[in-house]
Amino acid sequence: MQKNVEAVAPSVSTPIPGPISKKLKEKMEPHHQAPSVRFFVDYEKSFGNYLVDADGNTLLDVYMQISSLSLGAVSRPALGSFPPTFYPDAITNALSSVAPRGCPGVQTMLCGTSSNENAIKAAFIWYQYNKRGKKPPTDKDLKSCMKQELPGTPNLTVLSFQGAFHGRSLAALSLTRSKSIHKVDIPAFNWPVANFPRYKYPLAKNIQYNERQDDECLAMVEKLIIDHKKAERDVAALIVEPIQAEGGDHHGSPAFFQGLRNITGKHGVVFIVDEVQTGGGGTGSFWAHELWNLIDPPDLVVFAKKFMTCGYFYAEHLSCKEPYRIYNTWMGEPTKVVLLEKAIEIIRRDNLLEQVRIVGKALYNGLLQIENVNSSKMMNVRGLGTFCAFDLLSSKMRDEFLETAVANGLHIGGCGDAGVRLRPALIFGEKHLEIALDVINKSMKKL
Amino acid sequence: MQKNVEAVAPSVSTPIPGPISKKLKEKMEPHHQAPSVRFFVDYEKSFGNYLVDADGNTLLDVYMQISSLSLGAVSRPALGSFPPTFYPDAITNALSSVAPRGCPGVQTMLCGTSSNENAIKAAFIWYQYNKRGKKPPTDKDLKSCMKQELPGTPNLTVLSFQGAFHGRSLAALSLTRSKSIHKVDIPAFNWPVANFPRYKYPLAKNIQYNERQDDECLAMVEKLIIDHKKAERDVAALIVEPIQAEGGDHHGSPAFFQGLRNITGKHGVVFIVDEVQTGGGGTGSFWAHELWNLIDPPDLVVFAKKFMTCGYFYAEHLSCKEPYRIYNTWMGEPTKVVLLEKAIEIIRRDNLLEQVRIVGKALYNGLLQIENVNSSKMMNVRGLGTFCAFDLLSSKMRDEFLETAVANGLHIGGCGDAGVRLRPALIFGEKHLEIALDVINKSMKKL
């Protein structure tokens, strides 16, 4: 078919889905769940009111990606049902190539918040499936859920942490416990929250105190899980960030996260790691949770931001076999997956994770030096890779610092009550570091 | 600055935000709330680790759109804080030019679901603001919301309708009442639901019955609002689709929607019209709710799908003045707004809404003719513009019909239990109509 000329009539020469669509679906399924996929589309050949499928069938389209196109086949696909023919390869080349250990499958989404929303949905679906003895919903479940009553609408809960940030939709905001201005006036799910460690720095001088922090937080997590089970408000999932970024760059130790993995495993709670901010290389490894040396990997790992496309990686048992349960019209955007493929190529070609580790160490040491001469105002320098932060004495002082820094040419962010965070790109090098430290130093002196 | 060459050092010649950024913000605010905007960025000039703002200041960037860029300033902006310099014009040219009457402001988002989530957040914020006597949150509110307790975390509810579809995040899914497979196993907010009219067709022969449907549904809505207020679970917002599309293409009369507007106005409930599927011209008018001839316009109108960008239009009193309350990292994508601008140009140039009305009338009449000769299997032909639907005897028969149609070259959608929906593009013309009716006719004969 000639490009940019509309077909004059439909023509169908295979069943729909045809053999090529079926093969593409088989190719895709081990890497990205595809229960709602109807057929694959060749969007390069589709034009105007006509859509050309992977098998070369030309269809007059009066559905238009579920009512999403005003000017015909020139925009973007409803990925969950009609993905482009190149999508299975794009998924494998881009996302599967960086899948965290133990989570080989990926589900794309459009933003970090909807990725978290869908990750907890996947957890609920699995939890109830297990509770029913590995069976699909019963008629009673299907009927009662339309009235939002038990058993179809369960009283399940998700456990998160004080200081956490998981997004701002109502359910994500119920998990978010960082800043009151985000939460105030908005109804919330009554879900449990545990303390997250608050370490004293430098770590080497506060080992006992910090270990006690870990132990107390872990004990609280386990108690909440047990208590909620007794109250028939089971904790179906626990969600945690490797570093509570928005909440103030609070770190947890590998031992703390190993403890979380053990407790969730023991109680059948889905373990979700929210790597929306930490994923993608800023910590010096592609996934921050790689540094925990877990024996059992997480069940779900959420990504967004640096990945351009968003979504979650899942362990095999958390794949969803039934159509339209983990679904929406767009479910991500294929062009972003293609961009990610190129970005990963460059990250590998230029050995950027190694650069992040080297520059990150120099950044950390540089910040420590500045802290040493400003110790009455600046404290708690911490970081992994270039994912570094420090605290100032007060919110007011922090805000002043940010203003002075930007006036001196450094665009840098705040976090938590009085934190300052650096989130440079992976291409942040020695020469940029020198300038950044110089401005931070000058700005501290002016406070 | 030369393009695609990184700066060697920061250079700042104005305060930040500078005068141009400030002017751009003033220009934007009447059309798109902008309380979180820090400064505007010239992304054409930004490269690598450096960002160039609207005033020509060059900043070393260690924040990278809130940690969202791995390879530097080559990807997309965090719109809520650092929008591109062209964004205020793009908003005005694209979105403001099609703003529904009474809702001059627009808030962009990334998908339909997050648009609904943020629309109800805007409603909650306004409702509590009013309840406090038009005052911002108190210290007590800000403290209690971190524990998710009253008064900071209110027991507000949102009223939706049986058969509604508003998305699949947990809060949106609490409003969605169309299909059990979407809802089962997922916890929900305990929010009220009213009946939506279920008309008998043809409308002209069932006037009394249908008017009673309207009256009964409206009475139920008002009773739910009053009862929930008594129970201190105030209905802060009512959300409704002009046509319940996903749920089965159920229409409501102008009188029904006028009734909803009156009841919500009387009780201080925010009236949200979800035009995710109906907006953009398929019904023959740009907004389906224009056909209701409301005296008082809706408070919020949600859009997505055909608009490519998503979000909601708001009446002035629902604009949010405080930063970071209606916010997320991306808040939409500027390229989509530019695409929309072009699409609207073409819709106007080619007079496509008029075409939709003309072709829509012929489509409706054609479907009626097919119904007449297949009246034992096909019923309830209905539609506005080309936004048409009909029902078959059963789910099974409907699914068979869809398979036969696609095998004959027509890609058409199902909805509800036994509905078939047509959602063609606005460029669907007489010649396409002829083919579509021919395939529908043939497929009906084969059932």
Side-chain angles (χ1 to χ4, degrees):
Chain A
M1 176 184 282
Q2 209 182 323
K3 212 171 138 62
N4 290 355
V5 174
E6 197 184 71
V8 292
S11 84
V12 178
S13 57
T14 78
I16 294 174
I20 299 177
S21 266
K22 281 186 180 164
K23 258 190 204 152
L24 285 168
K25 188 165 169 170
E26 277 166 29
K27 191 174 175 182
M28 181 161 164
E29 271 169 340
H31 306 289
H32 188 300
Q33 55 198 1
S36 317
V37 167
R38 301 255 305 272
F39 52 81
F40 286 79
V41 176
D42 188 333
Y43 288 100
E44 291 289 316
K45 290 195 185 136
S46 302
F47 188 74
N49 289 276
Y50 285 87
L51 185 154
V52 179
D53 79 359
D55 291 270
N57 299 304
T58 301
L59 304 174
L60 176 61
D61 186 1
V62 295
Y63 198 37
M64 284 289 153
Q65 309 300 317
I66 320 180
S67 194
S68 300
L69 306 178
S70 59
L71 300 177
V74 290
S75 183
R76 67 173 163 177
L79 267 181
S81 292
F82 314 109
T85 46
F86 69 80
Y87 204 52
D89 277 341
I91 290 283
T92 322
N93 294 340
L95 288 161
S96 306
S97 82
V98 294
R101 184 178 67 86
C103 291
V106 68
Q107 171 65 56
T108 59
M109 283 287 156
L110 258 183
C111 73
T113 298
S114 78
S115 301
N116 275 331
E117 287 261 359
N118 280 281
I120 63 173
K121 281 178 70 173
F124 293 136
I125 289 170
W126 174 82
Y127 197 89
Q128 291 299 88
Y129 171 77
N130 260 11
K131 215 172 177 177
R132 282 188 296 261
K134 302 197 186 296
K135 283 184 184 137
T138 64
D139 271 0
K140 205 174 163 188
D141 294 322
L142 292 169
K143 270 183 193 151
S144 55
C145 79
M146 293 306 286
K147 298 180 192 165
Q148 300 196 162
E149 289 171 358
L150 290 170
T153 301
N155 279 331
L156 299 178
T157 63
V158 181
L159 195 155
S160 68
F161 290 90
Q162 296 291 2
F165 184 88
H166 300 291
R168 299 157 192 264
S169 60
L170 268 67
L173 201 52
S174 306
L175 300 168
T176 288
R177 306 275 184 151
S178 38
K179 286 178 193 149
S180 55
I181 196 64
H182 301 162
K183 288 179 75 68
V184 69
D185 294 342
I186 313 295
F189 282 104
N190 178 18
W191 289 344
V193 58
N195 290 337
F196 191 88
R198 290 291 180 264
Y199 296 144
K200 286 190 178 169
Y201 291 87
L203 293 176
K205 289 193 182 160
N206 294 280
I207 293 175
Q208 272 200 331
Y209 178 90
N210 293 341
E211 281 180 1
R212 212 163 47 234
Q213 281 286 307
D214 286 352
D215 293 343
E216 286 171 12
C217 293
L218 290 171
M220 188 173 181
V221 165
E222 186 153 29
K223 186 172 182 327
L224 282 167
I225 291 172
I226 292 168
D227 289 352
H228 277 72
K229 185 131 196 167
K230 274 189 201 146
E232 298 190 346
R233 299 180 59 238
D234 298 21
V235 174
L238 176 150
I239 186 165
V240 69
E241 299 153 278
I243 299 168
Q244 291 188 331
E246 178 69 23
D249 264 40
H250 301 297
H251 289 240
S253 70
F256 171 68
F257 291 109
Q258 288 158 13
L260 289 182
R261 170 72 284 190
N262 291 342
I263 293 168
T264 51
K266 179 174 155 194
H267 293 282
V269 172
V270 176
F271 184 45
I272 308 176
V273 181
D274 176 346
E275 292 239 27
V276 167
Q277 187 150 165
T278 49
T283 65
S285 47
F286 205 82
W287 300 104
H289 78 264
E290 287 171 26
L291 301 167
W292 305 342
N293 295 312
L294 296 179
I295 295 169
D296 292 326
D299 298 306
L300 295 166
V301 176
V302 181
F303 61 94
K305 289 187 176 273
K306 284 199 177 67
F307 289 79
M308 295 171 281
T309 184
C310 310
Y312 63 83
F313 285 93
Y314 54 83
E316 183 46 35
H317 63 283
L318 276 146
S319 76
C320 185
K321 315 278 189 241
E322 292 144 323
Y324 305 115
R325 301 193 73 177
I326 300 290
Y327 188 83
N328 57 53
T329 299
W330 286 322
M331 299 232 295
E333 194 169 355
T335 52
K336 302 278 192 270
V337 181
V338 174
L339 284 176
L340 175 65
E341 189 181 334
K342 293 292 162 204
I344 291 172
E345 262 177 51
I346 293 168
I347 291 170
R348 288 190 176 128
R349 183 195 70 192
D350 295 350
N351 213 0
L352 290 179
L353 295 192
E354 178 66 9
Q355 175 172 324
V356 167
R357 287 190 290 269
I358 293 168
V359 178
K361 197 164 283 179
L363 169 60
Y364 177 77
N365 288 331
L367 290 174
L368 273 186
Q369 280 179 25
I370 300 173
E371 182 189 49
N372 281 340
V373 294
N374 295 278
S375 57
S376 64
K377 297 176 283 187
M378 177 176 171
M379 58 221 68
N380 305 333
V381 167
R382 55 204 182 272
L384 285 174
T386 55
F387 200 106
C388 286
F390 55 89
D391 296 327
L392 296 178
L393 261 191
S394 65
S395 273
K396 191 169 159 283
M397 186 182 278
R398 189 267 313 275
D399 294 346
E400 269 177 51
F401 171 86
L402 295 178
E403 278 195 29
T404 313
V406 80
N408 282 282
L410 183 68
H411 182 40
I412 187 170
C415 62
D417 290 331
V420 175
R421 59 177 154 171
L422 291 97
R423 290 303 105 93
L426 309 183
I427 54 167
F428 184 74
E430 310 269 3
K431 63 182 177 183
H432 310 107
L433 171 66
E434 206 176 301
I435 295 169
L437 287 174
D438 183 52
V439 176
I440 292 171
N441 198 19
K442 274 188 202 152
S443 308
M444 282 309 302
K445 278 189 189 148
K446 284 198 189 152
L447 284 186
Chain B
M1 175 183 282
Q2 209 181 326
K3 212 171 139 62
N4 291 356
V5 174
E6 198 184 70
V8 292
S11 84
V12 177
S13 57
T14 78
I16 294 174
I20 299 177
S21 266
K22 281 186 180 165
K23 258 190 205 152
L24 285 169
K25 189 166 169 170
E26 276 165 30
K27 191 174 175 183
M28 181 161 163
E29 271 169 339
H31 307 289
H32 188 300
Q33 54 198 2
S36 317
V37 167
R38 302 256 304 272
F39 51 82
F40 286 79
V41 176
D42 188 334
Y43 288 99
E44 291 289 315
K45 291 195 185 136
S46 302
F47 188 73
N49 290 276
Y50 285 87
L51 184 154
V52 179
D53 79 358
D55 291 270
N57 299 304
T58 301
L59 304 174
L60 176 61
D61 187 1
V62 295
Y63 197 37
M64 283 289 153
Q65 309 300 318
I66 320 179
S67 194
S68 301
L69 306 179
S70 58
L71 299 178
V74 291
S75 184
R76 67 172 162 177
L79 267 182
S81 292
F82 315 109
T85 46
F86 68 80
Y87 205 52
D89 278 340
I91 290 283
T92 322
N93 295 340
L95 288 160
S96 307
S97 81
V98 294
R101 184 178 67 85
C103 291
V106 68
Q107 170 65 57
T108 58
M109 283 286 156
L110 259 182
C111 73
T113 299
S114 78
S115 302
N116 276 331
E117 287 261 358
N118 280 282
I120 64 174
K121 282 178 70 173
F124 293 137
I125 289 170
W126 174 82
Y127 197 89
Q128 291 300 89
Y129 172 77
N130 260 12
K131 215 172 176 177
R132 282 188 295 261
K134 302 198 185 296
K135 283 184 184 137
T138 63
D139 272 0
K140 205 173 163 189
D141 294 323
L142 293 169
K143 270 183 193 149
S144 55
C145 79
M146 293 306 285
K147 298 179 191 165
Q148 300 196 163
E149 289 171 358
L150 290 170
T153 301
N155 280 331
L156 299 178
T157 63
V158 182
L159 195 155
S160 68
F161 290 90
Q162 296 292 1
F165 184 88
H166 300 291
R168 299 157 191 265
S169 60
L170 268 66
L173 201 52
S174 305
L175 300 168
T176 288
R177 307 275 184 150
S178 38
K179 286 177 193 151
S180 55
I181 196 64
H182 302 162
K183 288 180 75 69
V184 70
D185 294 342
I186 312 296
F189 282 105
N190 178 19
W191 288 345
V193 59
N195 290 336
F196 191 88
R198 290 293 181 263
Y199 296 144
K200 285 189 179 169
Y201 291 87
L203 294 176
K205 289 192 184 162
N206 294 280
I207 293 175
Q208 272 200 330
Y209 178 90
N210 293 341
E211 281 180 1
R212 211 162 48 233
Q213 281 286 306
D214 286 352
D215 294 343
E216 286 171 11
C217 293
L218 289 171
M220 189 174 181
V221 165
E222 186 153 27
K223 186 173 183 327
L224 283 167
I225 291 173
I226 293 169
D227 289 352
H228 277 72
K229 185 130 197 169
K230 274 188 201 147
E232 298 190 346
R233 299 181 59 239
D234 298 21
V235 175
L238 176 149
I239 186 166
V240 69
E241 299 153 278
I243 299 168
Q244 291 189 329
E246 179 69 23
D249 264 41
H250 301 296
H251 289 241
S253 70
F256 172 67
F257 291 109
Q258 287 159 13
L260 289 182
R261 170 71 283 191
N262 291 342
I263 293 168
T264 50
K266 178 174 156 194
H267 293 282
V269 172
V270 176
F271 184 45
I272 308 176
V273 181
D274 176 346
E275 292 238 26
V276 168
Q277 187 150 163
T278 50
T283 65
S285 46
F286 205 83
W287 300 104
H289 78 264
E290 287 170 27
L291 301 166
W292 304 342
N293 295 313
L294 295 179
I295 296 169
D296 292 327
D299 298 306
L300 296 166
V301 176
V302 181
F303 61 94
K305 289 187 176 272
K306 284 199 177 67
F307 289 78
M308 295 171 282
T309 183
C310 309
Y312 63 83
F313 286 93
Y314 54 83
E316 184 46 35
H317 63 284
L318 277 145
S319 76
C320 185
K321 316 279 189 240
E322 292 144 323
Y324 306 115
R325 301 193 73 177
I326 300 290
Y327 188 83
N328 57 53
T329 299
W330 286 322
M331 299 231 296
E333 194 169 355
T335 52
K336 302 278 191 271
V337 181
V338 174
L339 283 176
L340 175 66
E341 189 181 334
K342 293 291 162 205
I344 291 171
E345 262 177 51
I346 293 168
I347 291 169
R348 288 188 177 130
R349 183 194 70 193
D350 296 351
N351 213 359
L352 289 179
L353 294 192
E354 178 66 11
Q355 174 172 324
V356 167
R357 287 190 290 268
I358 293 168
V359 177
K361 196 164 283 180
L363 168 60
Y364 177 77
N365 288 331
L367 290 174
L368 273 185
Q369 279 178 25
I370 299 173
E371 182 189 49
N372 281 340
V373 294
N374 295 278
S375 58
S376 64
K377 297 176 283 187
M378 177 176 171
M379 59 220 68
N380 305 334
V381 167
R382 55 203 181 272
L384 285 173
T386 55
F387 200 106
C388 287
F390 55 88
D391 296 327
L392 297 178
L393 261 191
S394 66
S395 273
K396 192 169 159 283
M397 186 182 279
R398 188 268 312 274
D399 294 346
E400 269 177 50
F401 172 86
L402 296 178
E403 279 195 28
T404 312
V406 80
N408 282 283
L410 183 69
H411 182 40
I412 186 170
C415 63
D417 290 332
V420 175
R421 60 177 153 170
L422 291 97
R423 290 302 106 94
L426 309 184
I427 54 167
F428 184 74
E430 310 269 3
K431 64 182 177 183
H432 310 107
L433 171 66
E434 205 177 302
I435 295 169
L437 288 174
D438 183 52
V439 176
I440 293 172
N441 198 19
K442 275 188 201 151
S443 307
M444 282 309 302
K445 279 189 188 146
K446 282 197 189 153
L447 285 186

